[in-house]
Amino acid sequence: MKDVNIGICGLGTVGGGTWEVLQRNARIIAGRAGCNLRVARVANRSPRPDLGLGDTPFSTDVHDVVNDPAIDIVVELIGGYDDARRLVLAAIEQGKHVVTANKALIAQHGNEIFDAAREKNVIVAYEAGVAGGIPVIKAIREGLAANRIQWLAGIINGTGNYILTEMRAGRDFDEVLKEAQELGYAEADPTFDVEGIDAAHKLTIMASAAFGVPLQFDRAYTEGIANITPYDITHAEALGYRVKHLGIARSREDGIELRVHPTLVPEKNLIAKVDGVLNAVLVDGDAVGQTMYYGPGAGDEATASAVIADLVDVARTVSTDSAQRVPYLGFESDAVTDHRILSPNEIRSAYYLRIQALDRPGVLAKVASIMSENGINIESIMQKESELHDGQIPVILLTHTVLEKQVNDAIAEMEALPEVEGRVVRIRAENFL
Amino acid sequence: MKDVNIGICGLGTVGGGTWEVLQRNARIIAGRAGCNLRVARVANRSPRPDLGLGDTPFSTDVHDVVNDPAIDIVVELIGGYDDARRLVLAAIEQGKHVVTANKALIAQHGNEIFDAAREKNVIVAYEAGVAGGIPVIKAIREGLAANRIQWLAGIINGTGNYILTEMRAGRDFDEVLKEAQELGYAEADPTFDVEGIDAAHKLTIMASAAFGVPLQFDRAYTEGIANITPYDITHAEALGYRVKHLGIARSREDGIELRVHPTLVPEKNLIAKVDGVLNAVLVDGDAVGQTMYYGPGAGDEATASAVIADLVDVARTVSTDSAQRVPYLGFESDAVTDHRILSPNEIRSAYYLRIQALDRPGVLAKVASIMSENGINIESIMQKESELHDGQIPVILLTHTVLEKQVNDAIAEMEALPEVEGRVVRIRAENFL
């Protein structure tokens, strides 16, 4: 299998995560990409002995990566504007493809960078710059390619969404911000997040990809959340709304709206229910209607997931002559495994059971003992005298996760009890853990 | 600009929608694809004069499309198993790429079809087969390529989800099913939907793409929703759960779970809040964590959106020699327009306003008259005697959508009133219409 050589510039949170995931999932990623994504050089201002870089060549100067002729793809994870711009332009000049997680760089210097890249026929990919691990740039540029995109709206800053979520309990902005800083959700200088600048970077990029216009970050309108009070949040809720810090881009006949500000959102809309540090982007296309993309908008491995998706994209494009850029089932045929499908009895799940029991003493004890003998732990159990009907009271219980066979055996035993009428109702429950 | 020639087989709901969207958005789609997606031949059992096919060659035999040497991509929208299988294999045999919306075909015959396609080095794309307009196959095969996908769970049948949503109001399955049939959400024979067969087709495909295993539809476990009662729905809700018809695929050390059945889902999980005919797929990857993809899972143009996304994907892959398969901002540089960004005063939005008014007669009338003079319609207004504080009672109102300038002018006038104290609080509101 062919190698595609990657050089990682910057081993901070995202750089470290990218290294880790590339090592841990090397086999899966190669199976998907059709080639090995080999980290051939890394650079960081200071060493990262904790990462276990082994024999991988290490430099303290990121330009060593750009100047290494073996490198096919440069991964820019140093952040900031000027140094990152110079680094990316130098990589392009050397004819290398670039993957970056730097939203500020793309929002501010993207037009210049893309012009240079077009000239050199290299790819510059930036999925990780917008909404962390959520593949929303891919959705906009590819998945929704049939659509005239009319507007998009996103919760694209986790810090701001965490603060507004916590303020619903009646707490003040300043108090929650302080807590967010202690928890590591907010920076010591929170301006970028709470004033909407970070969100405006991401919004600018999404709007350009959605509407086909040049990047114009300096024309984006931003308004922060510092002036939002629990009082207004409460009153907005009384009107049927939640307050969210949204980035909104809308294409109109006479121009494009590009704005980040606190926004009342109807509580029935799914995006109103996106709480805490999570991100979500709602996109309205004329053919598809409204679709939404939801997930972690930050974090080491979540962002690394997007960086590596871009690496796989570049590798799939440059390393194959086949028409099948993406393998039919996502994996190259020699990477498809014959992992067997389990039978129903082998399923592991939690279960909701409803037992129609006669109103006689000792029934609950018998049920509990059958469950226990079958090794089933009960999460909760409910039996209400008020539901007595025709001499029966239903026993409703929820189990911990067990093997389906255990539950089926227990049900057969319960149905055989003289105090139990008819069939036991069994519905699986899933806690998504 | 180069033409890529498309032949559409089947002009039913999705075929008609595909034709419509390709015509309406031809310029946008060409700007994204870098070539014209030209419909060079269509075939349908009966004519569709309503579609305005113009000079486009029309046949009643779909094999005319496959046998037309001008056609580059065959779009299979005839549905069913056997005829569709023969058609797709014939197209592949002719060296043509295939785009299909047929989940049953892929779930049942995908392994055979992909083997044939690999042999001929042609693409077979099937995004439209899973979750309608939601680009979830793209997310799984590409956007999450870095991840060991551990499980996925989806509401992937709109009919079933509509019925379960309506049953929350205490209505019986049979009654809601009848209504769904009258509304056109359910077929006259609802077996495919309510027994989970349709969902199992989609789940089988997603699981194979997520885990890298062959398609094994016959091993999927299905259980329908016909036995779910409002009684159990109510009791599940008392325990903090909603009942959803989920497709769940989980990769375990000892095998893969592949199952469709009614499931209790914690009400706090976002997927529990996906109601009505909408679809959503939650995917858990080891690097990214949980992401969710939400939107319309059926419908003419929603499904057409996915068909055309696949067409653009194929066209981008086969029609360019450039490394930039996808243009930097989603559109080819000559398709990028200079649509201007509007200034804040030109924004159109609804507004939440809070006015700190002295408790004097006539204040509400003055506020209302200022709004009216500025051409602003009020959606709702709230003033509660019980909120009297320091001689002030806040007036809270929500406007219809207006120009921001109108609201700013009205605010300036209100702030000048002797009965109004301090600044008027202004927060934008968005109804996503």
Side-chain angles (χ1 to χ4, degrees), chain A residues 258-403:
Chain A
L258 198 57
R259 47 192 172 101
V260 176
H261 50 69
T263 312
L264 270 67
V265 176
E267 65 185 1
K268 282 179 187 297
N269 195 296
L270 202 62
I271 204 168
K273 294 161 182 162
V274 173
D275 285 332
V277 294
L278 288 153
N279 280 201
V281 180
L282 187 60
V283 185
D284 185 281
D286 69 336
V288 72
Q290 297 181 17
T291 55
M292 196 176 89
Y293 308 88
Y294 161 88
D300 51 358
E301 292 205 356
T303 309
S305 171
V307 168
I308 297 169
D310 275 347
L311 289 171
V312 171
D313 245 20
V314 176
R316 278 173 169 167
T317 302
V318 302
S319 80
T320 176
D321 299 324
S322 160
Q324 307 136 52
R325 184 184 60 85
V326 181
Y328 303 106
L329 288 173
F331 289 79
E332 295 292 326
S333 56
D334 54 9
V336 170
T337 62
D338 231 343
H339 215 41
R340 77 188 179 99
I341 309 293
L342 298 160
S343 72
N345 259 334
E346 296 172 289
I347 287 171
R348 292 181 62 81
S349 178
Y351 294 82
Y352 162 102
L353 302 180
R354 173 161 60 85
I355 303 133
Q356 287 302 123
L358 292 178
D359 184 26
R360 289 194 202 148
V363 176
L364 215 55
K366 285 186 184 175
V367 165
S369 122
I370 289 173
M371 298 300 276
S372 155
E373 281 159 19
N374 282 283
I376 303 168
N377 286 324
I378 296 172
E379 159 94 28
S380 58
I381 188 159
M382 202 160 65
Q383 189 183 33
K384 289 189 193 153
E385 199 61 41
S386 61
E387 295 193 3
L388 178 65
H389 187 69
D390 287 346
Q392 294 173 13
I393 312 183
V395 177
I396 287 168
L397 57 84
L398 201 62
T399 75
H400 281 269
T401 298
V402 292
L403 210 56

Side-chain angles (χ1 to χ4, degrees), chain A residues 21-187:
Chain A
V21 176
L22 281 172
Q23 308 311 308
R24 187 175 73 229
N25 291 348
R27 203 179 50 81
I28 290 173
I29 295 167
R32 292 186 181 275
C35 58
N36 289 312
L37 297 188
R38 179 173 162 265
V39 181
R41 183 171 288 278
V42 294
N44 197 47
R45 261 180 301 194
S46 55
R48 284 287 309 266
D50 56 308
L51 285 179
L53 296 172
D55 295 336
T56 310
F58 176 90
S59 312
T60 51
D61 181 355
V62 289
H63 283 269
D64 288 355
V65 172
V66 168
N67 295 325
D68 182 340
I71 300 294
D72 301 306
I73 312 174
V74 172
V75 183
E76 184 280 300
L77 301 172
I78 61 173
Y81 298 89
D82 294 342
D83 287 352
R85 173 178 162 276
R86 266 190 298 275
L87 179 71
V88 165
L89 289 174
I92 292 168
E93 182 60 33
Q94 299 274 352
K96 297 184 194 305
H97 304 292
V98 174
V99 171
T100 177
N102 191 332
K103 59 219 81 168
L105 175 74
I106 297 298
Q108 296 265 22
H109 301 298
N111 297 325
E112 177 192 14
I113 288 168
F114 296 148
D115 282 345
R118 195 175 293 113
E119 198 72 31
K120 287 284 185 177
N121 193 28
V122 295
I123 300 169
V124 175
Y126 50 87
E127 180 70 79
V130 181
I134 311 169
V136 66
I137 293 297
K138 186 166 275 291
I140 293 171
R141 296 198 314 174
E142 304 178 45
L144 304 177
N147 293 267
R148 177 182 297 276
I149 294 178
Q150 309 184 115
W151 55 261
L152 56 85
I155 296 172
I156 42 181
N157 181 278
T159 310
N161 201 49
Y162 172 83
I163 293 173
L164 287 176
T165 302
E166 292 298 310
M167 286 177 69
R168 290 188 61 212
R171 301 166 65 196
D172 278 326
F173 172 80
D174 291 326
E175 177 194 338
V176 179
L177 171 60
K178 192 156 166 269
E179 182 191 83
Q181 285 169 323
E182 282 160 11
L183 288 167
Y185 293 160
E187 308 279 340

